[in-house]
């Protein structure tokens, strides 16, 4: 009975902080937001922006939203509502901005495919040369056949 | 076409495409005299609904691009409001474009200087930079009743500039910038 009561108390003690954490999101931080939004006039992320008037105003705006208890995502939504999607440091995942994600990814995939194809050809050529060398060792060719074989093999070399 | 030639062709096409995109995305040149002003709908500053230059068709309009964080804009605002008080009516108005600015800061600026002429909000600055071709604030465009640019001014305006350059145009019904000493470039 006592053991059951102790176990219940321990379980409640462990559950309480988890419940508290689940109910309250971490407070947004200016530094955490500033590196994900742009200073529109400066053209750099806000955390790198000098003390230009527009950057100062933007930071004050963000501080006000933090003081109002908004989360980082809510703050970014408010910034977009005020300044447009250009205020976000990362391109959006819709419309033409999607190209900023797709093009580099596509280029990496194409490059990987090119490397894979090139490797396969190189291995085939290497295997073919090894096979020919092995046959030569067993069955020596006369000079004319050697010359013709070398000319044919050169076609497979990169 | 061999695979290698096709790959080279695609690489060249991609490079040309990137160059073209870079050229296009550099933005437009500033509107010149005779160019029509885009009738892009913008949010009314601090209000509901939208507005554009088209709402003032038939009148001369001084299109003034500004921001609350801009010091020269503070200098010119009293002159603009005074000029509006003297001359606004059926033939003329000033239209403010608040660009790359926070709404609350802009409204505080409007209240501080008692600006009574219409104001539109261009939060991202896209209208001012991409469509008007502005390179900073304040910049102003004198627009004729047909919606075409009559003159462009970069920098803060004074009452003397406005009386000397805008009034003759509005009064004469044509662009008359002879002897006009505007700041920046007057075209």
């Amino acid at each position: 009975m006592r053991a059951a009561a102790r176990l219940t108390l321990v379980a409640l003690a462990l559950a309480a902080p988890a419940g508290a954490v689940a109910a309250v999101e971490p407070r947004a931080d200016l530094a955490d937001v500033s590196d994900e939004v742009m200073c529109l006039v400066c053209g750099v992320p806000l955390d790198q922006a000098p003390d230009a008037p527009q950057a100062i105003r933007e930071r004050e705006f963000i501080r006000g939203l933090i003081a109002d208890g908004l989360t980082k995502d809510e703050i970014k939504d408010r910034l977009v509502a005020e300044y447009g999607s250009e205020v976000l440091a990362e391109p959006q995942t819709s419309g033409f901005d999607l190209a900023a994600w797709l093009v580099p990814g596509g280029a990496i995939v194409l490059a990987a495919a090119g490397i894979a194809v090139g490797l396969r050809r190189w291995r085939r050529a290497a295997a073919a040369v090894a096979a020919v060398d092995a046959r030569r060792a067993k069955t020596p060719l006369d000079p004319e056949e050697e010359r013709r074989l070398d000319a044919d093999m050169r076609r497979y070399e990169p | 076409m061999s695979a290698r030639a096709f790959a080279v062709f695609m690489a060249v096409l991609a490079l040309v495409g990137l160059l073209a995109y870079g050229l296009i995305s550099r933005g437009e040149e500033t509107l010149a005299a005779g160019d029509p002003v885009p009738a892009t709908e913008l949010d009314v500053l601090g209000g509901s609904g939208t507005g554009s230059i088209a709402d003032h068709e038939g009148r001369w309009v001084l299109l003034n691009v500004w921001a609350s964080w801009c010091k020269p804009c503070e200098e010119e605002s009293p002159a603009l409001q005074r000029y509006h008080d003297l001359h606004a009516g059926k033939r003329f108005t000033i239209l403010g474009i608040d660009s790359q600015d926070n709404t609350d800061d802009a409204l505080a600026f409007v209240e501080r200087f008692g600006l009574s002429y219409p104001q539109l909000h261009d939060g991202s600055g896209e209208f001012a930079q991409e469509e008007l071709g502005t390179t900073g604030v304040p910049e102003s465009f004198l627009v004729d009743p047909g919606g075409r640019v009559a003159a462009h001014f970069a920098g803060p305006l004074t009452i003397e500039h406005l009386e000397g350059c805008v009034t003759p145009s509005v009064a004469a019904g044509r662009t008359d910038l002879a002897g006009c000493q505007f700041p920046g470039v007057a075209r």
Side-chain angles (χ1 to χ4, degrees):
Chain A
M1 188 68 169
R2 279 186 191 169
R6 277 197 217 114
L7 273 172
T8 307
L9 278 172
V10 168
L12 283 171
L14 287 172
V21 166
V24 176
E25 285 191 49
R27 191 180 168 89
D29 178 71
L30 177 63
D32 191 27
V33 175
S34 296
D35 65 350
E36 295 183 25
V37 297
M38 302 290 289
C39 165
L40 286 176
V41 172
C42 321
V44 297
L46 191 60
D47 64 338
Q48 299 170 25
D51 282 338
Q54 201 259 343
I56 292 171
R57 292 290 180 87
E58 218 174 302
R59 289 189 193 106
E60 284 174 6
F61 181 63
I62 293 170
R63 283 194 193 96
L65 297 178
I66 292 172
D68 289 343
L70 271 65
T71 64
K72 184 167 85 169
D73 285 342
E74 288 171 337
I75 290 171
K76 288 165 76 172
D77 288 343
R78 286 289 302 273
L79 285 166
V80 169
E82 279 290 341
Y83 298 108
S85 60
E86 290 84 356
V87 75
L88 297 176
E90 283 181 356
Q92 292 203 312
T93 55
S94 63
F96 186 75
D97 285 357
L98 193 55
W101 298 101
L102 295 178
V103 169
I108 289 170
V109 168
L110 278 173
I115 290 169
V117 167
L119 267 175
R120 276 184 64 190
R121 286 190 176 178
W122 180 62
R123 280 182 186 160
R124 268 207 308 251
V129 167
V132 165
D133 286 345
R135 277 203 294 277
R136 275 186 186 178
K138 287 183 186 172
T139 316
L141 301 171
D142 64 38
E144 176 57 24
E145 285 173 331
E146 279 270 1
R147 189 194 62 75
R148 279 172 54 196
L149 182 61
D150 284 341
D152 285 343
M153 286 305 299
R154 270 196 290 276
R155 280 193 216 140
Y156 290 97
E157 287 172 9
Chain B
M1 184 186 281
S2 69
R4 184 180 294 181
F6 179 74
V8 171
F9 172 75
M10 290 303 291
V12 170
L13 198 64
L15 190 60
V16 170
L18 274 172
L19 284 170
Y21 172 74
L23 286 171
I24 291 166
S25 64
R26 258 175 43 195
E28 299 295 325
E29 289 184 2
T30 306
L31 291 184
D35 291 341
V37 176
T40 305
E41 294 287 326
L42 298 173
D43 291 334
V44 171
L45 180 66
S48 60
T50 59
S52 77
I53 187 74
D55 299 336
H56 307 280
E57 192 176 351
R59 291 201 282 182
W60 287 86
V61 178
L62 185 68
L63 195 70
N64 174 247
V65 182
W66 63 279
S68 65
W69 43 264
C70 153
K71 282 294 179 191
C73 302
E74 294 182 4
E75 294 170 17
E76 72 168 6
S77 288
L80 288 173
Q81 181 57 40
R82 174 154 173 76
Y83 191 77
H84 185 262
D85 290 339
L86 291 171
H87 298 285
K90 286 183 183 175
R91 296 173 65 92
F92 172 78
T93 187
I94 299 176
L95 176 61
I97 306 291
D98 173 45
S99 182
Q100 290 184 314
D101 204 0
N102 173 266
T103 301
D104 289 342
D105 293 338
L107 289 172
F109 185 97
V110 167
E111 187 176 340
R112 178 181 161 198
F113 290 101
L115 304 180
S116 61
Y117 45 87
Q119 301 284 355
L120 301 177
H121 184 58
D122 174 31
S124 66
E126 191 174 333
F127 173 70
Q129 293 181 339
E130 302 293 325
E131 300 194 53
L132 299 180
T134 60
T135 57
V137 282
E139 277 192 49
S140 301
F141 298 83
L142 182 61
V143 183
D144 68 23
R148 294 188 176 270
V149 174
H152 162 244
F153 325 109
L157 300 170
T158 66
I159 197 70
E160 291 77 21
H161 293 141
L162 291 162
E163 291 290 3
C165 300
V166 174
T167 303
S169 296
V170 175
R174 65 176 190 278
T175 307
D176 186 357
L177 299 177
C180 171
Q181 294 296 322
F182 251 117
V185 177
R187 303 183 198 172

